[in-house]
């Protein structure tokens, strides 16, 4: 009978080495990618290993995928340079909030997951896409159509595991020059390096076709713009089709509102009588259903009482993720939808200032 030696079992650590990793290694590999860029720049001084880790292109790519929370707002007063408001100044910041590294004075148009879309104020008024943390930028080729003085342009950037270099799109809805009361669409793709005018033309009466340029968002491949009559113009990037969604929730009588992406859904956010109301798009097909149908287009998700912190003149300047920012004259207050906590932000934005959300990302261009 063979009484050979029993096979030696591999130690438990061999099957999962991470169980025996030092705490500093666990933090370096599992926690650092979720931190905003300003914190990471500071943590490069912890040790040589952390500095090397944070400085690699692979880490920057991983961080752009992992860190997706809005940590601040760019704002720009009419005719003035850009400025930056951080929700948490200790962890999130910009080395040059005025974006002086760009070759010309600009107006900020939109942002998406750490990238900004800007437009030059002079000359050909070209578009620029940049990362304000790394100061990398690209001038976009001249578009084919006339986008107008205040273009309804939306930047779409979704970081992907498969693409180390940022691939993004610019989508602009502009008044048709060939048809009255019609809207056309032009798309720029960084992968192709060129603009293309969509074959889709949206026809409507004039009061519904008039867009509000600064209030466009993208959700699951569909770009939405508000119109001056409180409806939504939706453009599906994959299907290359546009449609109008009537009567979006306007805060149940709210005096101000805007579009937002909250919990992965398209939402409208408004404030009225010191109450913030967040309503999510529930059924995009309710417009075509019978009048007796119980289907609702919008469903209320959050309602927050502001109390005496702000006056009844307060307006919503941004909402997204778990954050709603309200402006009351020069005072600005940030509300967390999960914790229900609030904090005051720095002042300085004028009444007509434009606000653009920002994710503190290392995304490589």
């Amino acid at each position: 009978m063979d009484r050979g030696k029993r096979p030696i079992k591999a130690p438990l650590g061999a099957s999962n080495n991470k169980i025996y990793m030092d705490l500093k290694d666990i933090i370096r590999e599992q926690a650092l990618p979720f931190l905003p860029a300003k914190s990471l720049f500071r943590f490069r001084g912890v040790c040589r290993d952390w500095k090397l880790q944070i400085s690699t292109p692979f880490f920057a790519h991983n961080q752009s995928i992992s860190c997706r929370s809005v940590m601040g707002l760019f704002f720009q007063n009419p005719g003035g340079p850009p400025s930056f408001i951080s929700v948490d100044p200790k962890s999130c910041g910009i080395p040059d909030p005025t974006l002086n590294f760009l070759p010309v004075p600009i107006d900020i148009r939109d942002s998406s997951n750490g990238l900004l879309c800007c437009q030059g104020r002079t000359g050909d008024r070209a578009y620029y896409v940049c990362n304000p943390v790394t100061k990398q930028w690209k001038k976009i080729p001249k578009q084919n159509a006339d986008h107008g003085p205040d273009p309804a342009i939306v930047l779409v950037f979704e970081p992907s595991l498969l693409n180390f270099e940022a691939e993004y799109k610019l989508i602009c809805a502009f008044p048709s020059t060939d048809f009255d009361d019609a809207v056309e669409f032009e798309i720029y793709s960084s992968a192709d390096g060129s603009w293309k005018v969509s074959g889709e033309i949206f026809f409507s009466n004039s009061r519904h076709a008039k867009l509000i340029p600064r209030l466009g968002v993208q959700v699951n491949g569909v770009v939405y713009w508000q119109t001056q009559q409180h409806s939504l113009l939706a453009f599906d990037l994959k299907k290359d089709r546009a449609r109008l969604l009537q009567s979006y929730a306007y805060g149940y009588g709210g005096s101000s509102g805007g579009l937002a992406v909250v919990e992965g859904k398209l939402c409208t956010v408004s404030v009225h009588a010191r109450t913030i109301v967040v309503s999510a798009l529930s059924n995009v097909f309710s417009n075509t259903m019978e009048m007796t149908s119980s289907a609702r287009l919008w469903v209320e998700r959050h309602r927050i009482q502001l109390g005496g912190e702000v006056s009844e003149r307060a307006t919503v300047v941004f909402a997204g993720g778990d954050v709603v920012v309200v402006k009351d004259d020069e005072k600005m207050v940030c509300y967390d939808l999960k914790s229900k906590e609030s904090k005051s932000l720095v002042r300085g934005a004028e009444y007509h200032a434009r606000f653009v959300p920002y994710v503190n990302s290392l995304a490589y261009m």
Side-chain angles (χ1 to χ4, degrees):
M1 183 175 180
D2 187 3
R3 294 179 179 273
K5 295 181 179 181
R6 293 181 179 178
I8 300 175
K9 293 183 178 181
L12 182 61
S15 61
N16 191 352
N17 291 330
K18 290 186 178 180
I19 295 179
Y20 296 97
M21 290 173 62
D22 290 337
L23 178 59
K24 66 180 179 66
D25 296 326
I26 295 176
I27 295 175
R28 182 186 65 189
E29 295 190 13
Q30 305 298 321
L32 289 184
F34 292 88
L35 299 180
K38 181 177 179 179
S39 294
L40 294 172
F41 289 155
R42 187 168 66 249
F43 289 159
R44 287 187 301 183
V46 170
C47 65
R48 182 174 181 272
D49 287 345
W50 281 28
K51 181 178 180 180
L52 293 176
Q53 173 86 359
I54 295 171
S55 301
T56 63
F58 178 79
F59 178 87
H61 178 63
N62 193 18
Q63 189 265 357
S64 70
I65 298 172
S66 304
C67 182
R68 305 288 284 272
S69 299
V70 172
M71 299 294 291
L73 299 171
F74 276 94
F75 76 91
Q76 193 167 14
N77 294 322
S83 299
F84 183 72
I85 301 174
S86 178
V87 174
D88 185 0
K90 293 183 179 180
S91 63
C92 175
I94 301 296
D96 181 10
T98 61
L99 307 183
N100 280 331
F101 59 87
L102 293 175
V104 296
I106 54 86
D107 291 314
I108 296 178
R109 297 302 185 192
D110 197 21
S111 72
S112 182
N113 291 316
L115 300 185
L116 293 180
C117 172
C118 307
Q119 186 177 27
R121 292 178 177 173
T122 58
D124 59 357
R125 302 185 70 242
Y127 294 112
Y128 295 85
V129 174
C130 69
N131 184 330
V133 169
T134 64
K135 298 185 179 180
Q136 296 172 326
W137 59 273
K138 179 179 180 180
K139 182 179 180 179
I140 305 302
K142 184 175 177 59
Q143 64 272 18
N144 301 306
D146 181 7
H147 293 178
D150 192 10
I153 194 160
V154 174
L155 171 64
V156 177
F157 167 52
E158 296 292 342
S160 168
L161 282 172
L162 302 178
N163 299 320
F164 269 77
E165 186 172 349
E167 292 189 1
Y168 51 87
K169 291 183 178 180
L170 295 173
I171 303 94
C172 185
F174 61 94
S176 175
T177 56
D178 298 322
F179 303 96
D180 294 334
D181 302 332
V183 177
E184 296 189 55
F185 307 90
E186 187 169 18
I187 302 102
Y188 172 83
S189 169
S190 64
D192 301 331
S194 61
W195 290 90
K196 179 182 179 181
V197 176
S198 168
E200 176 76 347
I201 302 177
F202 177 76
F203 293 91
S204 178
N205 58 53
S206 58
R207 66 190 186 92
H208 281 145
K210 187 68 173 177
L211 304 180
I212 304 176
R214 66 183 64 186
L215 297 177
V217 299
Q218 181 269 153
V219 185
N220 298 326
V222 180
V223 183
Y224 299 88
W225 292 271
Q226 283 181 307
T227 73
Q228 293 185 354
Q229 294 299 316
H230 304 167
S231 58
L232 293 181
L233 178 61
F235 179 70
D236 192 311
L237 292 172
K238 291 183 179 179
K239 297 179 180 179
D240 198 30
R241 290 291 181 267
R243 62 175 299 188
L244 193 70
L245 302 180
Q246 299 284 359
S247 303
Y248 70 81
Y250 197 55
Y252 301 93
S255 57
S256 68
L259 299 179
V261 182
V262 180
E263 300 168 354
K265 294 183 177 293
L266 176 70
C267 295
T268 61
V269 184
S270 64
V271 57
H272 177 66
R274 299 193 181 98
T275 302
I276 295 176
V277 177
V278 180
S279 300
L281 182 63
S282 175
N283 188 342
V284 296
F285 301 106
S286 62
N287 278 8
T288 61
M289 292 182 176
E290 298 179 0
M291 293 296 292
T292 57
S293 173
S294 60
R296 297 177 59 190
L297 183 61
W298 300 92
V299 176
E300 183 177 316
R301 286 295 186 93
H302 299 278
R303 180 178 286 263
I304 302 175
Q305 301 295 329
L306 303 182
E309 297 178 80
V310 296
S311 71
E312 294 190 359
R313 300 188 303 273
T315 59
V316 176
V317 298
F318 167 75
D322 301 323
V323 172
V324 178
V325 179
V326 174
K327 185 177 184 297
D328 182 13
D329 292 330
E330 293 187 356
K331 182 179 181 180
M332 295 184 64
V333 181
C334 177
Y335 295 89
D336 190 302
L337 294 176
K338 286 187 175 180
S339 67
K340 310 300 182 184
E341 297 178 348
S342 63
K343 65 168 64 175
S344 296
L345 303 179
V346 298
R347 304 185 179 191
E350 297 177 3
Y351 178 77
H352 294 290
R354 171 171 289 189
F355 293 87
V356 175
Y358 176 68
V359 175
N360 211 198
S361 170
L362 296 173
Y364 177 78
M365 293 190 60

